[in-house]
Amino acid sequence: MTEFGFACTGVRADPYAAGPALVFRLRVTASPGTRVHALALRCQIRIEPARRGYDDTEAAALTDLFGQRSRWGATLNPVEFAQVPVMVRGFTGETETDLVVPCTYDMDIASSRYFHALEDGEVPLRMLFSGTAFTGAGGFWVEPVPWDEEAAFRMPVRTWREMVDRHFPGSGWIRLPRDAMDALLAYRSRRALPSWQATVEGLLEAAGERTR
């Protein structure tokens, strides 16, 4: 069996993607002298929130996900970020490739809420690899990539914010059921409000929550 190793050497926001996307740079190694014709990989990326500290502002923003800080010993569990496929071209020894991860700013998604809560620092990630390897010097051998192959990486929070600001500058969005959206539209129309921002601010003020 060929022994494989994986490491993440960097990440960047994709400036040309139609939607938000991060590009992780992977280094893949194989047993010395083994010819790898191709790798068909699956990568699961998890956030490991217990592997960093949080100030009081961040802790307050994370209450929705993990509860009060006093409970974090039991609730600060890994959060799934993404599951993506990647094809790695043929190589001998080692190679590098890009892992493109489409992202969302939907606040119904736990990973988005986690990223949004962080002020600075790094996001502790763990990448879990599996898949199929096609190897052999004079032909093809088909081998599984074991499930225990993984790599740890700390992604700068500023990289996430750069990606979000590129597509949603100074703003965000939420997803609502159609009946709630219809009710909001009717509320806005009745009051001749000029924007959705004014609509939400009007509702907050009516509820006694100041927006300014």
Side-chain angles (χ1 to χ4, degrees):
M1 293 285 291
T2 303
E3 293 186 4
F4 291 98
F6 299 90
C8 183
T9 61
V11 63
R12 69 182 190 277
D14 189 341
Y16 306 111
L22 294 171
V23 182
F24 293 87
R25 191 65 175 170
L26 297 180
R27 178 181 297 127
V28 185
T29 60
S31 302
T34 300
R35 174 60 179 165
V36 179
H37 299 287
L39 279 175
L41 294 176
R42 294 182 297 275
C43 179
Q44 181 188 83
I45 306 178
R46 297 177 183 171
I47 301 165
E48 296 191 322
R51 292 174 50 218
R52 63 158 283 165
Y54 304 91
D55 62 25
D56 290 341
T57 301
E58 292 172 334
L62 290 169
T63 301
D64 181 46
L65 281 178
F66 304 120
Q68 297 297 324
R69 194 193 283 269
S70 60
R71 300 181 54 230
W72 282 10
T75 63
L76 216 61
N77 298 316
V79 175
E80 182 171 311
F81 173 29
Q83 293 198 47
V84 289
V86 59
M87 287 295 302
V88 182
R89 64 186 180 185
F91 68 96
T92 300
E94 71 173 49
T95 189
E96 292 195 356
T97 191
D98 286 338
L99 176 68
V100 180
V101 179
C103 300
T104 178
Y105 199 32
D106 185 348
M107 287 301 165
D108 283 342
I109 306 299
S111 59
S112 295
R113 297 207 302 276
Y114 178 85
F115 291 134
H116 181 73
L118 303 185
E119 298 288 334
D120 204 354
E122 297 173 326
V123 180
L125 301 177
R126 186 164 300 275
M127 300 177 169
L128 307 174
F129 297 93
S130 62
T132 304
F134 303 91
T135 64
F140 279 84
W141 293 88
V142 179
E143 305 180 42
V145 176
W147 276 97
D148 60 356
E149 296 294 344
E150 59 183 49
F153 182 67
R154 302 186 73 87
M155 180 180 74
V157 172
R158 65 177 179 274
T159 303
W160 169 265
R161 294 199 175 276
E162 175 190 343
M163 177 198 69
V164 169
D165 289 343
R166 188 182 302 275
H167 293 274
F168 308 106
S171 63
W173 63 276
I174 57 175
R175 180 164 48 92
L176 294 173
R178 181 166 304 185
D179 56 349
M181 194 68 208
D182 290 343
L184 277 176
L185 181 59
Y187 176 89
R188 176 179 174 177
S189 298
R190 286 195 303 271
R191 288 159 177 78
L193 296 170
S195 67
W196 286 115
Q197 179 178 345
T199 303
V200 174
E201 288 176 349
L203 288 169
L204 288 173
E205 289 176 3
E209 299 286 344
R210 292 188 178 275
T211 59
R212 296 183 181 86

